[in-house]
Amino acid sequence: MTNKVLEQQQLEDSLVTKPVFAELEALLPPVEQWLSELSVRQMSAHTIDAYYAGLYQLACFLAQAQLNWTRCDKRQLAKYIAKRLDTDALAISSVQQELSAIRHFYSWLIEQGQARINPTTGYQLKRAPRPLPSIADGDLIAQLLEQPMPDTPEQARLWIRDKAMFELLYSSGLRVGELVGLNVADLRIDAKGERGEVRVTGKGNKTRLVPVGRQALKAINRYLPHRNLWEERGDRALFISEKHGTRLTTRAVQQRLKVAAARAGIAQNMYPHLLRHCFASHMLSGSGDLRAVQEMLGHSDISTTQIYTHVDFDRLTQVYDKAHPRASQEKKTPR
């Protein structure tokens, strides 16, 4: 353990009464033995310190109740977790880390024959609700994508490329990493240039085919002649730097989007993933086809896609509250 962790535990030990301190001293040796074994297995010092801190807190709780490791059952564990959440005001993520340490420690105790039951078995801590993604409305997206061409030739050329990128992000719901990873060969456009699709390599190297909208195709077709002039050293990337002739980075796309948003007079914080969020929300709002949107986003779990149904429902609720005569708070009657 690090000196900082030791100092903190020594401070807490000084606040423990003598009878409780004796109980605590009896509980700690198995913890120290387990962590020593983990250290030999090259587990990081940071993880070992976190495990010790979590188990030390549980040991203090058990010592106060005059219990040992074998007498900690699901009921006692639930009391301890409630204390950490309510009294100690820890974040759910922090308590989940402690629960993980307790789970692994009890597995080791059972292997050593020092316990028979793991109190964490079947115990589930309710996760914090996932925050809803930020969404921009269609008018704001149009303000970004339909802004006038910049005056200078250099900025005009860059905007032709940037518009193609942003149209594709919004058209097909790509992650920025997927966008910069595209090669020219990943884009398929029919002979008339009216229909197309893009082959995307997403998380876990899984590939998917996503339709490309007409506006995005139009912007890409306008950009490709510039790309072919800029490309150097046989770079296969679809979106490249005019200056270097090589594949753009995610950081460059982020910066170019902020430049474009500022030029369009948009005050809202614009970032590439926002365009993906907008794609998902607007597609669900228009189609209601959750499975299709899941496929296009490349989500392995449909519950990840379902978050956008909450976004849309939240918007509908706001419209309802504003428009329905019986939804708003009743006016106070005069006395």
Side-chain angles (χ1 to χ4, degrees):
M1 290 173 288
T2 63
N3 290 335
K4 185 177 179 181
V5 173
L6 285 172
E7 289 171 4
Q8 178 65 29
Q9 304 311 332
Q10 288 169 358
L11 175 62
E12 292 177 3
D13 290 346
S14 67
L15 301 176
V16 178
T17 59
K18 287 185 177 180
V20 173
F21 185 74
E23 298 279 353
L24 182 60
E25 277 194 317
L27 287 166
L28 291 179
V31 175
E32 292 166 352
Q33 183 183 348
W34 176 56
L35 294 179
S36 294
E37 291 186 12
L38 293 182
S39 180
V40 171
R41 297 177 199 170
Q42 305 299 313
M43 180 167 283
S44 73
H46 176 77
T47 301
I48 290 175
D49 284 350
Y51 279 2
Y52 183 85
L55 289 167
Y56 182 89
Q57 292 297 329
L58 177 58
C60 288
F61 174 83
L62 294 176
Q64 291 281 356
Q66 296 185 330
L67 299 173
N68 57 30
W69 296 118
T70 59
R71 292 180 62 192
C72 179
D73 54 18
K74 279 188 173 63
R75 185 168 57 89
Q76 294 297 333
L77 179 64
K79 286 183 179 180
Y80 170 72
I81 296 298
K83 172 185 178 295
R84 298 297 278 161
L85 288 171
D86 300 333
T87 306
D88 300 337
L90 259 66
I92 288 181
S93 58
S94 298
V95 178
Q96 284 173 333
Q97 290 176 352
E98 287 192 2
L99 192 60
S100 175
I102 296 167
R103 181 177 293 111
H104 291 305
F105 174 59
Y106 267 95
S107 295
W108 178 83
L109 284 177
I110 292 170
E111 288 176 3
Q112 300 297 310
Q114 298 183 42
R116 289 183 299 172
I117 297 173
N118 190 331
T120 66
T121 302
Y123 185 89
Q124 290 187 342
L125 183 64
K126 189 174 180 180
R127 291 181 177 272
R130 181 181 297 175
L132 295 178
S134 300
I135 300 295
D137 62 29
D139 290 340
L140 199 65
I141 298 297
Q143 185 178 341
L144 171 72
L145 298 176
E146 296 173 12
Q147 62 180 281
M149 185 73 73
D151 295 331
T152 66
E154 179 185 0
Q155 289 303 315
R157 290 194 303 270
L158 291 178
W159 173 238
I160 289 172
R161 180 202 60 194
D162 293 350
K163 182 176 181 180
M165 293 193 303
F166 306 151
E167 286 278 12
L168 185 55
L169 284 171
Y170 178 57
S171 163
S172 304
L174 306 187
R175 302 176 179 94
V176 65
E178 296 170 344
L179 179 86
V180 299
L182 290 176
N183 292 326
V184 174
D186 293 323
L187 182 66
R188 302 171 187 174
I189 306 176
D190 68 3
K192 294 182 179 179
E194 295 179 353
R195 299 189 65 181
E197 62 186 14
V198 64
R199 182 180 59 206
V200 182
T201 302
K203 292 183 176 180
N205 283 326
K206 294 181 179 178
T207 59
R208 66 186 190 276
L209 288 176
V210 187
V212 180
R214 288 188 179 183
Q215 292 299 322
L217 287 175
K218 183 179 177 181
I220 292 169
N221 279 324
R222 190 176 184 186
Y223 155 69
L224 284 175
H226 294 273
R227 182 242 171 244
N228 295 334
L229 287 173
W230 300 344
E231 178 263 321
E232 294 182 6
R233 298 192 296 275
D235 200 304
R236 298 177 299 162
L238 177 58
F239 294 108
I240 62 177
S241 163
E242 180 189 26
K243 182 178 180 181
H244 302 290
T246 54
R247 189 182 302 271
L248 282 178
T249 64
T250 58
R251 181 62 179 160
V253 177
Q254 293 164 352
Q255 290 175 335
R256 294 304 302 169
L257 181 54
K258 290 191 180 298
V259 168
R263 191 170 58 227
I266 296 173
Q268 180 173 339
N269 179 30
M270 298 292 286
Y271 49 95
H273 215 69
L274 177 63
L275 298 180
R276 176 175 162 88
H277 289 326
C278 293
F279 161 83
S281 180
H282 298 166
M283 284 292 294
L284 271 177
S285 179
S287 70
D289 193 332
L290 191 64
R291 287 288 181 185
V293 175
Q294 178 194 4
E295 288 292 325
M296 287 185 279
L297 289 172
H299 287 160
S300 58
D301 189 340
I302 199 168
S303 65
T304 308
T305 317
Q306 283 174 327
I307 191 171
Y308 295 103
T309 64
H310 301 313
V311 172
D312 194 48
F313 184 77
D314 185 56
R315 183 183 64 81
L316 291 176
T317 302
Q318 292 175 8
V319 172
Y320 179 89
D321 289 343
K322 185 177 180 180
H324 197 286
R326 304 289 290 180
S328 58
Q329 202 172 25
E330 291 183 6
K331 296 179 179 179
K332 293 182 179 180
T333 54
R335 294 183 179 178

